[in-house]
Amino acid sequence: MRSFFKFLGYFLLLLLVVAVVGGAWVTYRSSVALNRTFNFKVRSVAIPHDAASLERGSHIAHTRGCIDCHGVDFAGAKVIDDVPMGRLYGPNITRGKGSSVIAFQDEDWIRAIRHGVGFDGHGLFIMPAKEYSHFSDDDLGALIAFIKQVPPVDRERIPTRYGPISRVLLALSPAKMIGAAGIDHAALAPVAVAKGPTKEYGRYVAEGCVGCHGPNFSGGKIEAGPPDWPKAANLSPSPDGHLSKWTEADFIATIRTAKRPDGTTLNPVMPRGFSGLDDVELKALWAFFQSLPPVPQGVR
């Protein structure tokens, strides 16, 4: 019996050592990822001022996820606040008190949105720059023009706290948490795609779905989210997904209403801003998703 307790003591001591060393390694590697700076030449983009461009910029801001992190007033909103992932509130991107962009020039906006890099050169945490890096110059310029003229709101940002799951993800796969780490900044050359109900334009719009549904849109575990988030839906025409059974009208109605044809409601993790996509964008998405090869859910 004594030898058993001796063995148990050594085993527990070994677990403690492994936990301490592992924790130190995760802390170090995640800190390296957070402190990494990015240096590259920002290619200029024309910033328009006409009413049509501002309307286009507003449409992009409200349908591509900006309001999910920055709020409907663009002064910051809760993104995550729990023990495993930590606490993250989007920054205030208006010109009010507490603004994170008060000193921004046009190139700083381009650096932040297209490249996911902040004013200080560090990668922006959970900024979906990989998805935004594909924006055409016209769309990026319109988005920047719109955000620059939103009314100022006074709101200080709540400090960010990194939870253990965020630290582990930062240590093991920094690009999942810091979009800038997964972008070849020097090679970025987005192209304009003619708007229409085509699979080509659908592919352009669908870039905003990659973060959750994966590069082949098969869905599965959302790697950058909290452990309790549901699996992302399979958007390929696979038999295990909804889109193989729906019509185009079913798909459009589901995105617009957040209710599936069977009456069930989409999980709140699915950004409701996509409901604002217009008919052409939704028809293009449908055409693109239907053109994909069928892949089982989560096989990326």
Side-chain angles (χ1 to χ4, degrees):
M1 182 64 70
R2 181 181 297 177
S3 61
F4 170 76
F5 284 111
K6 185 177 181 180
F7 170 78
L8 181 61
Y10 283 134
F11 179 71
L12 293 176
L13 178 61
L14 177 62
L15 288 181
L16 178 61
V17 170
V18 170
V20 170
V21 172
W25 181 84
V26 166
T27 299
Y28 169 73
R29 292 302 307 171
S30 61
S31 296
V32 169
L34 289 168
N35 291 322
R36 178 184 173 185
T37 57
F38 298 83
N39 297 295
F40 50 87
K41 182 176 177 58
V42 176
R43 185 170 61 82
S44 63
V45 170
I47 311 300
H49 300 90
D50 60 285
S53 294
L54 291 174
E55 183 178 355
R56 174 62 181 164
S58 174
H59 178 73
I60 295 170
H62 286 88
T63 61
R64 302 301 198 273
C66 302
I67 59 175
D68 294 300
C69 293
H70 300 288
V72 294
D73 59 2
F74 299 95
K78 184 180 79 170
V79 181
I80 297 169
D81 195 349
D82 61 30
V83 174
M85 291 298 291
R87 180 180 62 209
L88 174 67
Y89 282 70
N92 183 346
I93 56 173
T94 77
R95 299 282 177 173
K97 183 179 179 181
S99 171
S100 296
V101 300
I102 197 68
F104 268 29
Q105 301 298 314
D106 288 347
E107 73 169 31
D108 300 309
W109 284 106
I110 298 168
R111 186 185 293 108
I113 298 172
R114 176 169 280 175
H115 298 272
V117 176
F119 194 70
D120 58 2
H122 291 97
L124 299 172
F125 185 62
I126 311 189
M127 171 68 175
K130 191 75 180 292
E131 287 88 337
Y132 296 162
S133 65
H134 78 286
F135 281 165
S136 69
D137 286 356
D138 285 347
D139 278 352
L140 179 59
L143 175 60
I144 293 171
F146 168 73
I147 296 176
K148 286 173 65 175
Q149 56 83 61
V150 297
V153 177
D154 295 337
R155 185 176 303 146
E156 298 290 346
R157 186 179 187 181
I158 296 174
T160 297
R161 173 176 51 79
Y162 304 101
I165 298 297
S166 290
R167 286 282 183 180
V168 169
L169 290 171
L170 281 165
L172 298 178
S173 302
K176 289 184 174 66
M177 309 302 286
I178 300 176
I183 296 174
D184 185 349
H185 300 278
L188 278 184
V191 297
V193 181
K195 184 173 181 177
T198 63
K199 65 180 182 181
E200 291 77 18
Y201 189 65
R203 180 69 180 88
Y204 176 76
V205 178
E207 284 290 345
C209 309
V210 171
C212 290
H213 296 275
N216 66 353
F217 304 94
S218 67
K221 177 175 172 51
I222 303 174
E223 297 172 328
D228 61 346
W229 274 12
K231 292 181 178 180
N234 189 349
L235 300 179
S236 81
S238 172
D240 68 4
H242 293 299
L243 269 63
S244 64
K245 308 173 185 68
W246 290 355
T247 65
E248 180 188 76
D250 291 333
F251 171 73
I252 292 175
T254 298
I255 301 300
R256 287 268 167 79
T257 66
K259 286 189 177 296
R260 303 181 185 91
D262 63 4
T264 57
T265 302
L266 297 179
N267 191 282
V269 171
M270 170 68 176
R272 295 303 191 250
F274 289 124
S275 65
L277 292 172
D278 62 34
D279 286 346
V280 173
E281 291 167 325
L282 289 171
K283 287 176 178 292
L285 279 175
W286 174 258
F288 170 66
F289 292 144
Q290 290 299 297
S291 75
L292 294 171
V295 181
Q297 185 182 34
V299 178
R300 300 190 177 187

